Amino acid sequence: MAKKRLITFLIALMSLPLVTMETVYADDIYSDGKVGEARRVPKDNEFKVCADSNNLPYSNDKGEGFENKIAELLAKEMGKELSYQFWFDRFGFLRNTLNAYRCDYLIGTTTTYDAVDTTKPYYRAGYVWVYRKDRGLNIKDWKSEDLRKSVIGIKDKSPVTVALDDNDLMGNAKPYRIQRDLTASPGELIDDVVSGEVDIAVEWGPLAGYYAKQSGVEMMIVPIPEYEQVKQTGKTLWNISVGVRKRDVERRDEIEAVVMKNRDKILKILDDYGIPYLEPEFSSNLDGYKRHKQ
């Protein structure tokens, strides 16, 4: 579940055995908030988003994240009033937000996240290598020699650890928590590249692009090649969609039409925030289902 975000957790969980995934997801899928709490009834004129109050570049309670800006765009296009249900994006996020009917939309989640219904994808994101340009490193793939000479910061148990291990680079790794310390910046890993604590960061693209842009230091951001063809658990690139509650087909189709109509404006927002992205692709069953490809 990914930001460090619902997306990031989901991607990490994709690399776990199926039984573990089902166990972790169970609370979020089948629970709908506190016992005895009156369930909110969504209003026709509201666009209520589930988000984290302190998780840039995605969102915060000041409306400064790129998903805040996308939400503003979509709400305006639909003629609805934007509001939020904030909750820290970690285990229990869906249980306490979307599935508790406290909000109705996830602005960004992986297209094949089965805990929600998703729109067709509007961009594709992946992991990247990040390092200071003045280091003079030359990194193109996992065989690059400069990786073997460097301290590599990486989120523990993220899918890219599969490729790291396969290429005998685990000894170079400095692990970071995948579920971030809420007292630390979401850009902690990039901050450590700037300071020299690590030489190279392996980071989720949206986080890397935003915090590298904010760093004030000239940084190199190199896309990590897809590893799924080697091992599915090491999948690197993921399609991103808007999510709604399971079986809320009418809401999903409504927001999907607005997203697709305004996709150019959404991509401009990504550009403004320095978010690296690709066109959605459907290379495997983890990229989308039949309805996403039509």
Side-chain angles (χ1 to χ4, degrees), residues 21-286:
M21 288 173 62
E22 290 176 346
T23 303
V24 172
Y25 287 159
D27 283 347
D28 278 350
I29 293 175
Y30 299 113
S31 180
D32 61 356
K34 297 177 181 178
V35 174
E37 181 182 77
R39 175 180 285 182
R40 162 184 161 271
V41 178
K43 299 175 183 177
D44 291 339
N45 69 336
E46 68 177 337
F47 189 81
K48 193 156 191 178
V49 174
C50 316
D52 192 314
S53 62
N54 183 27
N55 196 30
L56 291 177
Y58 297 98
S59 63
N60 68 8
D61 56 9
K62 298 177 182 177
E64 296 172 331
F66 76 86
E67 289 193 353
N68 291 119
K69 302 308 179 186
I70 293 172
E72 291 171 12
L73 169 65
L74 298 177
K76 182 178 179 180
E77 288 292 321
M78 297 172 75
K80 296 187 177 186
E81 183 177 342
L82 175 63
S83 61
Y84 290 90
Q85 172 63 61
F86 290 115
W87 202 273
F88 289 125
D89 193 358
R90 53 218 300 117
F91 292 123
F93 180 79
L94 283 186
R95 181 178 67 249
N96 290 290
T97 56
L98 192 70
N99 287 345
Y101 282 74
R102 296 185 179 117
C103 47
D104 307 305
Y105 302 95
L106 303 173
I107 297 302
T109 188
T110 50
T111 302
T112 49
Y113 183 25
D114 283 341
V116 298
D117 267 359
T118 59
T119 66
K120 293 177 181 178
Y122 59 95
Y123 75 102
R124 186 172 177 85
Y127 285 89
V128 297
W129 289 294
V130 186
Y131 52 92
R132 294 177 61 122
K133 186 175 182 179
D134 59 17
R135 293 297 308 277
L137 302 176
N138 181 22
I139 299 172
K140 297 178 180 179
D141 55 37
W142 288 108
K143 301 296 184 184
S144 298
E145 282 302 314
D146 281 343
L147 287 172
R148 303 193 178 279
K149 306 171 186 176
S150 303
V151 177
I152 304 169
I154 189 168
K155 299 291 175 60
D156 184 32
K157 297 182 177 64
S158 58
V160 275
T161 60
V162 175
L164 194 81
D165 188 39
D166 285 354
N167 287 277
D168 296 323
L169 289 165
M170 199 61 76
N172 296 69
K174 178 181 178 181
Y176 290 72
R177 291 173 52 175
I178 194 167
Q179 182 166 278
R180 73 177 177 92
D181 181 347
L182 293 176
T183 65
S185 165
E188 177 185 17
L189 186 44
I190 305 304
D191 291 342
D192 283 356
V193 173
V194 172
S195 70
E197 181 72 20
V198 296
D199 302 310
I200 302 165
V202 174
E203 182 59 289
W204 180 238
L207 283 167
Y210 175 78
Y211 284 104
K213 185 175 181 178
Q214 299 294 314
S215 70
V217 175
E218 193 168 3
M219 306 281 268
M220 298 297 294
I221 300 176
V222 181
I224 296 178
E226 180 60 272
Y227 202 72
E228 185 183 16
Q229 67 274 18
V230 180
K231 285 184 180 177
Q232 191 175 55
T233 53
K235 183 171 176 57
T236 306
L237 298 167
W238 298 81
N239 288 338
I240 305 297
S241 300
V242 172
V244 301
R245 274 181 295 278
K246 294 290 284 185
R247 296 176 291 280
D248 198 347
V249 176
E250 183 177 350
R251 187 184 304 277
R252 180 200 69 196
D253 291 348
E254 179 188 31
I255 190 62
E256 178 176 274
V258 179
V259 168
M260 293 299 109
K261 178 183 176 182
N262 292 278
R263 187 165 174 267
D264 287 346
K265 294 178 182 177
I266 293 173
L267 296 183
K268 175 61 167 56
I269 293 171
L270 299 184
D271 289 335
D272 290 344
Y273 277 76
I275 308 301
Y277 62 86
L278 299 167
E279 285 293 311
E281 293 181 10
F282 299 96
S283 303
S284 77
N285 60 358
L286 291 178

